[in-house]
Amino acid sequence: MILKKNINQRNYVSLLLIAKTMSYPYQILTEQEYQDKYQQSILAPEKFWAEVASHFSWHRKWDEVLNYNFETAHTHWFVNGKLNITENCIDKHLKNKGDNIAIIWESNFENEESQFITYKQLHERVIKFTEVLKNNGIKKGDRICINMGMIPELAIAVLACARIGAIHSVIFGGFSASSIADRLEDTEAKMIICCDGAYRGDKIIPIKKIIDDSILIYNKVETVIIYKRSKTEIDFNPDRDKWWHEEEAKITLINDQPEIMDSEDPLFILYTSGSTGKPKGAVHTIGGYMIYTAYTFVNVFQYSPGMIHFCTADIGWITGHSYIVYGPLLAGATSLMYEGIPTWPDAGRFWKIIDKHKVNIFYTAPTAIRSLMSFGHSQFDNAILSSLKTLGTVGEPINEEAWKWYFDHVGKGKCPIVDTWWQTETGGILISSLSGVTDASPTFAGKPLPGIQPVILDEQGKEILTFNKQGNLCIKFPWPSIIRTTYKNHDRCRSTYFSIYSNKYFTGDGAYRDESGNFRIIGRVDDVLNVSGHRIGTAELENVLNSHSLVIESAVVGYPHEIKGEGIYAYVICDPEQEMNNSLHQELIEIVKHQIGSFARPDKILIVPGLPKTRSGKIMRRILRKIASGEHEQLGDLTSLLDSSVVEKIILLARS
Ligand code: WT7
């Protein structure tokens, strides 16, 4: 189904009128304008981005807009430009928008009051917290890991780091102590900012306890600042631990001096899984990331002043960095932050929040949509949802059924859906329709944003120009928020993203393009799973499973899962000499929870006598994927297998 623009034309008109009266200098308002801007951005990218950058505050203008070399994986935007991103996120708005709401915070608990933080208040709170950081010895370039629930203090901590030039690395609240320790070690973090406990529905995650356990593994953290949220009892180590409120109470003088940073200084490190080994720390730098997140926020969602934007992601992921914190604040928008989960106390929670705060832009993940779909229509009993103007999705391909449900029941048939394709490494949205401006059709992410030059390549690196033919999605020219490096291991960045195809950034996704130039993203072509929008490397999971004393070898694959998008299927070979215990299954799940986090636990574990391998010893995952999906009859050519009888044995076990 192609959603013809004229179906919604009437509703788009009112939207466009608002935008036209109060738009951003870099806002695209019509389809023609999109085409024109796109052409300009391709013909003269430097001129194009310099113009966008001119609408931001810089302490010193850049000498050169772009300097890059894909062979060595070096990209520099706005070379020698000097700025502080938080002056653009906050100070810039104080004069005319100081009393506007920057952040609306909605608690996990329906009966707890919402918080409304104006730009002025945000400014005060951020600069106060920078004093806490400075008093605790933090300087420009230091790394700070942040592990908190979704509370305003998380955004404040992030901004305070950026204000003094400390590099933040936010860790999602679902990670285990061992995963946190890996990140502490890799970043050599001097400080951790956390909370006592984080609320998630009817659960309290004992964040401080998990942090204590992670410090037992990596003990070089000097200071832990704890924000009191859940009043969960904690172990307090007076040599190292400090309460946020006590540290703030000590401040008598605020000496606010935003650090003047280079455009290419790192802003943050965010860990993400790849197809091999340990997660890698994607590094984003200040100038380019700033321009690109602001530009895409305004254009994709067609934000215009006064709108309320609600992104349901966690700030522990890139979506939260770019479209809860930086993008919206750079645009002077109102960003709604929600502490809880979609289905607690019931499946109507999002809809109540939208009505309560008259949300205009709602941005969520397909997995949340599919999960809500399963709760039936009563979730909408008291929902009006008439404030909504734009709906967005991110994180994984959205299936047509979920798209239609979202369009009909949430958008009431009048809100464009933007299916935004991007990655941790891309910093911001690369392929998407622009809400109400360019066409949207279900399951297609749409066209590239200005400045983005996607190509689809075959295995040999030849560009596929035929329509509807799948290949590997690459980008052939840098955009401002492209990944700069993988922390402390630049060669990993080069070899993962820039060496598979010469002179191109390789996304790891498969895609095709239709006759009208819209891209459809199929999913990962590497060994990375996308489970409920969480990226999990199969190699990472296999390493964890193999660390169990009874496991000899394992192979992990994904299979279609109704709600999670992709489920995790683990094939495990155990030591036949050892006595098997019945609790092995549970132990393997525990080990994954312990080493990574419970979001990565396998949905199915099958103990097998062997794995299908080629004569050169490579596991044929294609076969394992077919078996996991129940497609036992369509295994294809098995002649290259060393021992094809193992396949029959696995199928028998999978069926039983
Ligand atoms: C991978 C990136 C981008 C923020 C959240 C995830 C998949 C993302 C879409 C989409 C189809 C999508 C891709 C991509 N993905 N958005 N709209 N349609 N697939 O960030 O954890 O870095 O994962 O998510 O496979 O490579 P991430």
Side-chain angles (χ1 to χ4, degrees):
M1 171 182 118
I2 296 281
L3 178 75
K4 290 270 163 28
K5 223 179 150 190
N6 57 9
I7 298 179
N8 284 328
Q9 198 72 50
R10 233 173 318 124
N11 298 303
Y12 290 174
V13 171
S14 59
L15 224 183
L16 293 179
L17 283 180
I18 303 171
K20 272 192 179 119
T21 48
M22 302 187 285
S23 62
Y24 289 81
Y26 46 84
Q27 190 154 13
I28 294 168
L29 298 171
T30 63
E31 177 144 25
Q32 185 58 47
E33 208 181 325
Y34 160 74
Q35 281 166 14
D36 295 346
K37 291 279 177 203
Y38 188 77
Q39 281 313 316
Q40 291 166 17
S41 76
I42 302 310
L43 293 172
E46 301 187 17
K47 185 164 175 248
F48 178 84
W49 288 114
E51 203 286 317
V52 177
S54 72
H55 300 290
F56 293 78
S57 314
W58 297 81
H59 283 268
R60 182 189 186 278
K61 202 181 162 185
W62 51 90
D63 295 330
E64 199 184 352
V65 179
L66 170 66
N67 182 315
Y68 85 104
N69 180 346
F70 270 181
E71 293 300 315
T72 58
H74 283 105
T75 313
H76 305 278
W77 280 94
F78 310 111
V79 181
N80 292 331
K82 306 284 177 205
L83 75 162
N84 186 290
I85 192 170
T86 69
E87 290 182 324
N88 283 277
C89 289
I90 307 172
D91 307 44
K92 190 177 160 189
H93 312 306
L94 293 180
K95 193 162 163 251
N96 298 323
K97 290 184 179 175
D99 295 319
N100 288 12
I101 308 296
I103 296 176
I104 300 178
W105 176 75
E106 183 62 28
S107 160
N108 182 58
F109 304 101
E110 284 182 300
N111 57 3
E112 184 173 351
E113 269 183 41
S114 314
Q115 285 184 33
F116 300 88
I117 303 172
T118 65
Y119 274 93
K120 268 189 199 147
Q121 291 163 336
L122 183 64
H123 180 248
E124 280 160 23
R125 296 187 64 180
V126 168
I127 62 177
K128 195 164 188 189
F129 196 64
T130 61
E131 294 299 324
V132 172
L133 298 178
K134 288 187 281 183
N135 287 346
N136 283 282
I138 298 299
K139 291 188 195 62
K140 173 179 173 178
D142 287 343
R143 275 81 54 212
I144 299 185
C145 285
I146 306 179
N147 186 227
M148 299 171 101
M150 284 287 287
I151 51 178
E153 288 70 21
L154 168 51
I156 289 166
V158 161
L159 293 164
C161 288
R163 194 152 181 103
I164 62 167
I167 303 168
H168 57 78
S169 187
V170 186
I171 305 172
F172 170 61
F175 277 112
S176 67
S178 151
S179 289
I180 295 173
D182 287 345
R183 287 153 176 77
L184 294 175
E185 186 177 350
D186 199 55
T187 56
E188 295 169 87
K190 223 170 150 177
M191 177 187 271
I192 300 176
I193 306 171
C194 67
C195 49
D196 48 354
Y199 292 118
R200 274 184 72 75
D202 59 358
K203 293 197 187 66
I204 298 181
I205 303 177
I207 300 272
K208 175 59 166 54
K209 163 90 179 65
I210 299 170
I211 292 297
D212 288 345
D213 292 347
S214 70
I215 297 178
L216 290 177
I217 310 172
Y218 176 81
N219 64 7
K220 296 199 180 117
V221 173
E222 290 169 17
T223 317
V224 178
I225 309 250
I226 312 140
Y227 183 82
K228 193 179 274 183
R229 166 61 185 142
S230 62
K231 305 194 175 68
T232 308
E233 223 175 283
I234 60 158
D235 284 339
F236 192 88
N237 174 345
D239 297 333
R240 188 195 67 199
D241 296 349
K242 313 252 168 103
W243 284 110
W244 175 303
H245 59 276
E246 288 181 4
E247 289 305 291
E248 281 197 341
K250 286 184 198 161
I251 294 160
T252 47
L253 186 76
I254 290 181
N255 175 20
D256 175 37
Q257 280 177 328
E259 191 75 37
I260 298 181
M261 305 293 288
D262 190 272
S263 173
E264 282 300 333
D265 277 335
L267 176 62
F268 63 85
I269 305 168
L270 190 57
Y271 285 82
T272 187
S273 292
S275 46
T276 48
K278 286 196 170 190
K280 47 187 175 269
V283 175
H284 283 286
T285 57
I286 301 168
Y289 178 82
M290 171 175 86
I291 305 306
Y292 198 74
T293 52
Y295 183 82
T296 50
F297 171 70
V298 165
N299 281 305
V300 171
F301 302 105
Q302 286 294 301
Y303 178 83
S304 58
M307 284 185 172
I308 314 285
H309 169 77
F310 175 19
C311 166
T312 70
D314 191 290
I315 296 179
W317 306 115
I318 191 72
T319 309
H321 282 62
S322 302
Y323 299 110
I324 296 179
V325 183
Y326 288 110
L329 296 180
L330 287 162
T334 301
S335 181
L336 192 153
M337 234 179 121
Y338 169 48
E339 184 182 33
I341 58 170
T343 48
W344 192 81
D346 55 59
R349 189 70 167 105
F350 278 166
W351 322 135
K352 278 182 249 173
I353 297 174
I354 291 170
D355 283 339
K356 179 174 176 186
H357 298 290
K358 307 262 179 305
V359 166
N360 307 112
I361 303 167
F362 179 64
Y363 190 28
T364 195
T367 187
I369 298 169
R370 287 192 301 266
S371 145
L372 289 167
M373 279 168 76
S374 68
F375 285 84
H377 200 75
S378 61
Q379 62 187 292
F380 295 109
D381 278 354
N382 298 308
I384 302 167
L385 305 179
S386 59
S387 58
L388 288 172
K389 299 221 185 289
T390 294
L391 302 177
T393 70
V394 59
E396 50 179 316
I398 181 163
N399 49 312
E400 190 150 347
E401 200 193 346
W403 193 100
K404 285 184 179 158
W405 184 89
Y406 197 31
F407 186 76
D408 292 339
H409 297 286
V410 183
K412 311 285 181 209
K414 69 177 179 62
C415 300
I417 295 180
V418 289
D419 174 354
T420 66
W421 174 84
W422 57 298
Q423 311 176 297
T424 303
E425 296 87 341
T426 70
I429 298 164
L430 299 197
I431 300 181
S432 170
S433 57
L434 311 182
S435 178
V437 173
T438 56
D439 277 347
S441 46
T443 74
F444 280 80
K447 297 197 173 68
L449 263 68
I452 307 306
Q453 305 190 34
V455 283
I456 296 173
L457 302 182
D458 65 15
E459 295 297 333
Q460 282 71 45
K462 219 171 132 274
E463 190 167 347
I464 299 177
L465 295 164
T466 324
F467 299 127
N468 305 319
K469 188 166 181 305
Q470 190 183 327
N472 293 337
L473 179 63
C474 292
I475 318 284
K476 66 177 182 190
F477 195 83
W479 60 98
S481 63
I482 189 172
I483 184 172
R484 295 306 198 271
T485 190
T486 42
Y487 195 61
K488 288 203 303 205
N489 189 349
H490 187 70
D491 199 55
R492 188 161 176 203
C493 175
R494 191 196 55 77
S495 63
T496 312
Y497 306 108
F498 298 95
S499 76
I500 313 266
Y501 294 109
S502 150
N503 248 316
K504 283 171 193 78
Y505 166 83
F506 174 51
T507 67
D509 278 325
Y512 65 81
R513 186 181 353 213
D514 72 3
E515 291 79 354
S516 34
N518 287 317
F519 282 81
R520 180 173 188 174
I521 314 296
I522 309 297
R524 304 290 307 193
V525 292
D526 52 7
D527 291 323
V528 172
L529 306 182
N530 190 331
V531 180
S532 300
H534 298 320
R535 228 164 110 169
I536 302 167
T538 53
E540 206 181 322
L541 257 176
E542 288 160 9
N543 286 347
V544 170
L545 294 170
N546 296 348
S547 70
H548 189 285
S549 59
L550 291 181
V551 173
I552 294 178
E553 196 180 1
S554 62
V556 171
V557 296
Y559 68 97
H561 187 288
E562 216 170 297
I563 290 181
K564 297 176 169 187
E566 205 164 21
I568 303 176
Y569 202 119
Y571 297 86
V572 175
I573 307 178
C574 289
D575 188 346
E577 305 294 312
Q578 298 282 335
E579 202 182 318
M580 274 299 161
N581 58 27
N582 291 333
S583 59
L584 180 66
H585 191 270
Q586 196 51 38
E587 284 173 27
L588 290 174
I589 291 193
E590 286 306 318
I591 205 167
V592 172
K593 279 192 189 169
H594 186 256
Q595 303 269 341
I596 305 178
S598 67
F599 64 89
R601 68 178 180 273
D603 297 278
K604 290 187 186 158
I605 298 177
L606 194 67
I607 311 288
V608 291
L611 291 167
K613 288 190 180 171
T614 61
R615 287 182 184 85
S616 61
K618 205 170 169 289
I619 298 174
M620 286 192 70
R621 289 167 190 280
R622 173 179 63 79
I623 296 173
L624 294 177
R625 272 188 221 110
K626 289 274 183 201
I627 299 175
S629 322
E631 296 169 20
H632 303 152
E633 321 301 329
Q634 304 138 32
L635 298 180
D637 182 14
L638 302 181
T639 50
S640 57
L641 284 180
L642 181 64
D643 169 16
S644 59
S645 73
V646 78
V647 175
E648 284 148 41
K649 290 180 194 145
I650 297 177
I651 293 177
L652 270 178
L653 288 164
R655 281 201 169 124
S656 62

